[in-house]
């Protein structure tokens, strides 16, 4: 997988507002927030997009959801939305798997 800006954030080569970190995952605030609370949860493992995850990533993917839960609670969210854009057609711009977590306002459905 080619290098992305998120690899640099993982290596602390560029700054980010980090909310949570462990050996497998990192959560940090989105630099262009679309809601009062908007953070990203990423695996440290370089997976370009969800469709490239494999059976070997099963527990890692579950872990990312639990990190999302944990940081959402830390941020005081009682309701929140997870979004993963998979592929350019879906709006993915950074090709390192990430889960958007949005909250702090009411969210419309369906999304655009
Ligand atoms: P996506 O369009 O789903 O690939 O989402 C990529 C997200 O990464 C966007 O919401 C960007 O605002 C966010 N982003 C890009 N660069 C940074 C950065 N350096 N720090 C935090 N968030 C970033």
């Amino acid at each position: 997988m080619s290098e992305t800006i998120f690899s640099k954030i993982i290596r602390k080569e560029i700054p980010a507002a980090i909310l949570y970190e462990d050996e497998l995952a990192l959560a940090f605030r989105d630099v262009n927030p679309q809601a009062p609370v908007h953070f990203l949860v990423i695996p440290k493992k370089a997976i370009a997009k969800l469709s490239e995850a494999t059976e070997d990533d099963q527990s890692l993917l579950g872990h990312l959801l639990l990190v999302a839960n944990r940081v959402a609670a830390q941020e005081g969210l009682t309701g929140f939305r997870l979004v993963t854009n998979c592929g350019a057609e879906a709006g993915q711009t950074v090709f390192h798997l990430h889960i958007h977590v949005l909250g702090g306002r009411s969210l419309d459905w369906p999304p655009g």
Side-chain angles (χ1 to χ4, degrees):
M1 193 184 105
S2 59
E3 177 82 1
T4 70
I5 197 156
F6 291 174
S7 316
K8 293 190 171 73
I9 290 175
I10 291 168
R11 295 198 302 266
K12 313 282 167 59
E13 290 171 7
I14 62 168
I18 293 175
L19 300 171
Y20 176 85
E21 180 169 17
D22 63 26
E23 68 281 6
L24 297 174
L26 192 63
F28 53 94
R29 292 196 196 284
D30 195 293
V31 78
N32 183 24
Q34 301 302 312
V37 177
H38 183 180
F39 62 89
L40 304 173
V41 180
I42 69 170
K44 290 188 172 175
K45 179 179 175 182
I47 300 170
K49 53 186 176 176
L50 184 61
S51 58
E52 293 186 8
T54 70
E55 292 296 320
D56 290 345
D57 300 314
Q58 183 166 316
S59 67
L60 175 61
L61 295 178
H63 182 66
L64 298 178
L65 293 182
L66 293 176
V67 170
N69 258 353
R70 178 181 183 139
V71 179
Q74 200 174 289
E75 290 292 300
L77 297 179
T78 48
F80 52 92
R81 179 176 293 169
L82 306 189
V83 174
T84 296
N85 297 322
C86 181
E89 188 184 352
Q92 187 175 5
T93 58
V94 178
F95 285 82
H96 182 119
L97 173 64
H98 51 282
I99 300 171
H100 295 260
V101 183
L102 300 135
R105 66 168 170 83
S106 61
L107 297 163
D108 293 335
W109 191 262

